[in-house]
């Protein structure tokens, strides 16, 4: 079955089951069709069609501490001006997009823009002061967009928690925007996001994937946040936080960036994430990670941790993440230490060496999906998306094959009927050269249940 047939089969199954995925108009390019033809995608990569921002507009002025609604409006305007895919129709729906846009025809901008969504039963007018409210701020990873939190957002809403997401500077437009960005800009955005939460909600939760996690750790380690504000924050949730790069030469990216813009040049056909990767992006995340090494964490707050990590992560060194968790956990005078939780995706024989007081959860064997037999390890790119995600899920329209782009295995990875899926370890690539990098969490429901217990615990 080729890629187009796979997409049409998926659409048909959704329509039969009452799904809301609309069929695109014939011959009209949209966020689905740009993934369908491998030869065309390779030509798009060569020309850099989606790699360069259309124009350059001003960043949001975080120093003004404007209302979050103003921030969202500014970011949508910026995406429309700069992103060459922003206006493309995008027949991908989620419960969050349904709540935000009422089922209208969507464009790419609607799925990648930052958002605020409230539990339906607790929605209030913009002019009404919030009292005794709970909110969570979610920050995406490097090259990602807020789309990666659409599935998780639904789980927070079910618990009566309002969800906000940030769009980090340099994201949501085109990879060229990361050529000159600095981690200081990301940190300014994080400060604005956290401060807006502390002003607008009584109880606050913070969550970050990869780079987003590192930014939150860095901010909470600063003395600029008061004890009263820290007391408002009832949980820090980290999905594979950027603690140390898996690549041993990550430190060199800063110097290579002086001579060359891109480490990888690809198709950028994924509407929700950049596929081309600038050297400067690697340099900035490396510098950020140095700020959160245990030796530099001198003001760790008494906030419980919920960490999700995979032992075969090929982007982040998981052992470093575990050292970070242990350092935070063992900080003296912590009253919330008993709540610290780690969900650890690993081979059954692998057990992390951590204090016994950390609640370590290891899911059992994958048995609940027809993808289980094809599964080889949980990838860095998989943690926040549900298996039924229309874009990144098991029957989703997008396949992550960037690790073999430009090789003979790319076409096979993109089009084979029964792909192997997992993390792109050396062992997996040797056994399955055309393996598809996993973009959904097979244990998503299990993770969401554990997260609900973490939030509910007193």
């Amino acid at each position: 079955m080729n890629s187009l047939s796979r997409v049409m089969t998926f659409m048909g199954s959704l329509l039969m089951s009452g799904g809301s995925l609309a069929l695109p108009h014939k011959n009209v390019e949209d966020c689905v069709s740009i993934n369908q033809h491998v030869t065309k995608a390779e030509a798009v990569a060569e020309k850099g069609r989606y790699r360069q921002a259309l124009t350059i507009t001003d960043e949001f002025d975080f120093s003004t501490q404007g209302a979050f609604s103003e921030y969202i409006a500014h970011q949508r305007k910026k995406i429309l001006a700069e992103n060459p895919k922003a206006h493309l129709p995008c027949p991908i729906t989620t419960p969050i997009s349904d709540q935000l846009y009422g089922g209208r025809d969507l464009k790419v901008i609607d799925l990648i823009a930052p958002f605020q969504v409230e539990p339906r039963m607790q929605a209030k007018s913009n002019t009404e002061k919030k009292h005794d409210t709970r909110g969570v701020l979610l920050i995406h990873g490097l090259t990602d967009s807020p789309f990666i939190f659409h599935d998780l957002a639904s789980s927070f809403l079910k618990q009566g928690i309002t969800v906000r997401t940030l769009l980090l500077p340099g994201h949501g437009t085109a990879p060229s925007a990361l050529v000159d960005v600095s981690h200081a800009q990301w940190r300014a955005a994080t400060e604005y996001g956290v401060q807006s939460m502390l002003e607008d909600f009584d109880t606050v939760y913070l969550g970050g994937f990869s780079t987003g996690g590192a930014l939150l750790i860095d901010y909470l380690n600063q003395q600029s946040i008061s004890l009263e504000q820290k007391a408002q924050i009832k949980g820090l949730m980290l999905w594979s936080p950027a603690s140390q790069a898996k690549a041993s030469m990550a430190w060199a990216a800063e110097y290579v960036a002086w001579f060359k813009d891109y480490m990888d040049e690809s198709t950028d056909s994924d509407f929700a994430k950049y596929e081309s990767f600038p050297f400067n992006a690697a340099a900035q995340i490396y510098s950020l990670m140095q700020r959160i090494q245990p030796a530099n964490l001198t003001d760790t707050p008494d906030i419980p941790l919920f960490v999700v990590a995979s032992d075969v992560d090929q982007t982040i060194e998981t052992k470093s993440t575990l050292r970070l968790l242990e350092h935070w956990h063992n900080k003296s005078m912590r009253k919330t230490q008993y709540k610290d939780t780690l969900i650890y995706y690993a081979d059954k024989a692998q057990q992390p060496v951590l204090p016994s007081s950390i609640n370590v959860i290891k899911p059992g064997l994958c048995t609940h999906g027809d993808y289980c037999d094809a599964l080889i390890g949980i990838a860095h790119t998989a943690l926040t998306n549900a298996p039924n995600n229309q874009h990144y899920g098991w029957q989703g329209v997008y396949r992550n094959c960037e690790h073999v782009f430009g090789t003979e295995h790319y076409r096979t990875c993109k089009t084979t009927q029964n792909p192997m899926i997992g993390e792109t370890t050396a062992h997996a690539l040797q056994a399955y050269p055309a393996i598809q990098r996993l973009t959904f969490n097979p244990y998503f429901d299990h993770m969401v249940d554990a997260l609900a217990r973490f939030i509910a615990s007193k």
Side-chain angles (χ1 to χ4, degrees), residues 162-219:
T162 295
V163 180
R164 283 181 179 175
T165 60
L166 283 183
L167 180 66
L168 294 174
H171 292 78
T173 58
S176 64
L178 289 177
V179 171
D180 296 313
V181 77
S182 72
H183 65 82
Q185 292 175 278
W186 300 340
R187 286 161 39 222
T190 301
E191 179 177 4
Y192 164 78
V194 176
Q195 286 297 325
S196 73
M197 295 295 295
L198 294 171
E199 291 173 5
D200 295 342
F201 299 92
D202 297 292
T203 299
V204 171
Y205 300 92
L206 303 173
F209 168 69
S210 195
T211 296
L215 286 165
L216 288 170
I217 294 171
D218 177 71
Y219 179 69

Side-chain angles (χ1 to χ4, degrees), residues 310-312 319 344-353 360 362-363:
S310 168
D311 71 327
V312 294
K319 291 180 181 178
Y344 194 58
Y345 299 126
D347 181 87
K348 195 171 184 179
Q350 298 293 323
Q351 182 68 29
V353 180
V360 179
K362 293 182 64 178

Side-chain angles (χ1 to χ4, degrees), residues 263-294:
M263 184 181 302
D264 295 305
E265 293 182 336
S266 192
T267 66
D268 296 297
S269 59
D270 183 352
F271 76 83
K273 178 181 175 68
Y274 302 157
E275 294 172 321
S276 296
F277 191 74
F279 276 103
N280 179 62
Q284 296 307 313
I285 184 59
Y286 177 80
S287 296
L288 175 63
M289 288 187 292
Q290 300 316 297
R291 293 174 59 89
I292 65 165
Q293 295 308 302

Side-chain angles (χ1 to χ4, degrees), residues 16-94:
M16 291 177 63
S17 64
S20 56
L21 184 59
L23 292 172
H25 295 295
K26 188 176 181 180
N27 298 326
V28 174
E29 185 177 62
D30 62 19
C31 72
V32 173
S33 66
I34 61 176
N35 284 301
Q36 292 175 354
H37 304 290
V38 177
T39 302
K40 180 180 178 182
E42 291 171 337
V44 167
E46 185 176 352
K47 295 178 180 179
R49 177 180 176 185
Y50 299 127
R51 195 177 305 136
Q52 189 69 32
L54 297 177
T55 185
I56 299 176
T57 60
D58 292 335
E59 292 287 349
F60 183 78
D61 186 357
F62 294 110
S63 65
T64 65
Q65 290 293 308
F68 199 75
S69 59
E70 296 174 3
Y71 166 75
I72 291 176
H74 179 278
Q75 296 300 78
R76 287 184 64 89
K77 183 178 180 181
K78 185 176 181 66
I79 293 169
L80 284 171
E82 297 188 26
N83 189 325
K85 299 191 291 286
H87 294 276
L88 287 181
C90 199
I92 301 289
T93 62
T94 70

